[in-house]
Amino acid sequence: MVTVLLADDQPLVRAGLRALLDVADDISVVGEAVDGHEAVRLAGELRPDVVLMDIRMPGLDGLEATRRLAGGPSRVVVVTTFDLDEYVYEALRSGASGFLVKDAEPDELRHAVRVVARGDALLSPTITRRLIEQFAARPATGPDTARLAPLTPRERDVLGAVARGLTNAEIAAHLHMSPATVKTHINRVMAKLGAHDRAQLVVIGYETGLVRPGWL
């Protein structure tokens, strides 16, 4: 059973999300928060697998709430609208594991909860495109060797593959190693770079110049 905490200041939005999730036998909504402060408090008390987090909330906003939850047992999925895309990059850096647009289909919502609960990152195609466009607009630079210094050459290869969106199985095939070895490398890279999850590794891959938009 995947447990979920809803964080949104609009009662109708929370009710809609709950209704869409409650029909799934393997998902349970365990709480609702009306702002970031309550989201952080309830996440600490209820320890849900996933927090569906709105960004614009009174008091403590979703970005700061996500920062405070980063590295904890609960993974955050930011539920955003198209006019909030400017927050995507910052939310990823803050520790969000994924993004979902508010007009997503019900099956997409339930899929997002399951994907993030099992430890994977989730970025919708629209948001991924916007994120990559931000990096594409930056001047090309060489890799940030200082930031990447703790990594072995093999770990750099794995990081680059993660940043390009490859799954563990695809990385294993591409780099000729077992999926278990790939997982070990990813865990070591996350520890060395202080990343909370796979989504942050994608950001680091682009931030450091290890990969560039359009590279395969």
Side-chain angles (χ1 to χ4, degrees):
M1 181 68 69
V2 178
T3 54
V4 179
L5 171 67
L6 307 177
D8 196 296
D9 62 323
Q10 299 181 44
L12 284 178
V13 172
R14 296 197 307 274
L17 291 172
R18 177 182 281 275
L20 294 174
L21 294 173
D22 279 346
V23 301
D25 294 335
D26 60 335
I27 298 174
S28 175
V29 177
V30 295
E32 299 183 17
V34 301
D35 59 29
H37 286 294
E38 190 172 27
V40 173
R41 179 178 63 81
L42 288 178
E45 294 176 1
L46 302 173
R47 300 176 70 83
D49 298 309
V50 178
V51 179
L52 293 181
M53 184 84 72
D54 187 26
I55 291 182
R56 289 181 176 173
M57 293 186 290
L60 192 73
D61 66 20
L63 288 177
E64 182 57 33
T66 297
R67 291 189 191 98
R68 297 187 186 186
L69 294 176
S74 302
R75 296 182 177 275
V76 176
V77 175
V78 171
V79 184
T80 183
T81 54
F82 289 115
D83 64 319
L84 294 180
D85 280 341
E86 66 268 22
Y87 294 109
V88 168
Y89 177 60
E90 184 58 34
L92 274 176
R93 296 194 69 187
S94 299
S97 295
F99 288 85
L100 193 70
V101 291
K102 286 187 175 179
D103 62 352
E105 295 294 327
D107 284 345
E108 291 182 76
L109 171 65
R110 292 185 284 267
H111 174 69
V113 168
R114 295 182 182 113
V115 166
V116 171
R118 67 173 182 250
D120 293 328
L122 181 121
L123 300 174
S124 73
T126 300
I127 289 175
T128 301
R129 185 172 63 251
R130 295 284 186 99
L131 182 64
I132 290 175
E133 285 173 354
Q134 288 190 40
F135 288 109
R138 298 182 177 188
T141 59
D144 184 344
T145 54
R147 192 171 181 187
L148 296 173
L151 305 183
T152 66
R154 202 56 164 168
E155 288 169 348
R156 289 195 188 196
D157 292 339
V158 171
L159 173 59
V162 170
R164 288 191 290 272
L166 275 64
T167 64
N168 283 12
E170 290 169 337
I171 296 171
H174 181 65
L175 297 179
H176 308 290
M177 60 177 68
S178 71
T181 301
V182 171
K183 185 175 181 179
T184 298
H185 279 307
I186 290 175
N187 288 337
R188 287 175 179 169
V189 170
M190 289 173 59
K192 289 181 177 182
L193 299 181
H196 299 298
D197 61 21
R198 201 180 188 98
Q200 287 197 312
L201 291 183
V202 174
V203 172
I204 292 172
Y206 281 101
E207 274 189 334
T208 59
L210 185 63
V211 294
R212 295 287 299 170
W215 287 11
L216 298 176

